[in-house]
Amino acid sequence: QAKGITFTCLGCATAHAYAALANPLVTTPQNHVVSPFAGNIQPYFDERSGVIQATFTQACTTVSVLAQVVVGPEGFGPPTNRPYLKAFNASGQQVGGTTYGTPPGPGNGPPPWQQLNVNTAPTAPITSIRFSVEHAGGQAVMGMFDSVTCTY
């Protein structure tokens, strides 16, 4: 738990989410990377490995997470799967969501970090969020997530 946030993992081998160290070759904005994998292994993942849930001790009006993608070198067409952020209220109903912009194709250099934001003020307090990377077929895309924030 960090600053009033409890992290868990849905659909994982365990229900745990872990603080992870990024590969030394990867620059992270705040080095607060969260992963479904224990230990200091590469923290990139998609829905096949799980969905991270962050539950807040106090309801938020704006939430955000930084996301970065890695597109596989296989070149199976343009990437169509993207990192996402979904926001939920105390009843478990989704009250908002957003996705990463179109990821660059393989071989185009490291993609930029993008901040995924959901703002529901003043109508729908956010008590939890879920984030991962879609896996709906097509080009595989993995994601790394850093710096979850909640604004009251």
Side-chain angles (χ1 to χ4, degrees):
Q1 183 171 349
K3 296 182 182 180
I5 306 170
T6 301
F7 293 96
T8 55
C9 189
L10 308 174
C12 300
T14 71
H16 301 291
Y18 300 91
L21 293 176
N23 180 313
L25 301 175
V26 176
T27 302
T28 63
Q30 300 294 326
N31 204 25
H32 301 142
V33 179
V34 62
S35 171
F37 306 116
N40 293 327
I41 64 172
Q42 190 68 358
Y44 291 102
F45 65 97
D46 68 10
E47 290 176 331
R48 293 174 293 178
S49 300
V51 175
I52 301 294
Q53 178 168 288
T55 304
F56 305 105
T57 56
Q58 183 176 347
C60 313
T61 56
T62 303
V63 292
S64 66
V65 64
L66 290 171
Q68 186 183 49
V69 298
V70 170
V71 178
E74 298 88 2
F76 296 129
T80 56
N81 298 302
R82 299 186 234 181
Y84 62 83
L85 169 64
K86 297 179 180 179
F88 297 85
N89 65 17
S91 299
Q93 297 171 314
Q94 186 174 338
V95 294
T98 189
T99 59
Y100 189 98
T102 303
N108 291 329
W113 284 89
Q114 288 186 17
Q115 188 166 11
L116 306 180
N117 298 298
V118 175
N119 181 333
T120 60
T123 59
I126 300 166
T127 58
S128 68
I129 59 172
R130 296 177 188 167
F131 52 91
S132 191
V133 179
E134 303 162 331
H135 182 71
Q139 174 73 24
V141 173
M142 306 296 270
M144 182 165 62
F145 298 88
D146 193 358
S147 302
V148 171
T149 62
C150 163
T151 304
Y152 308 107

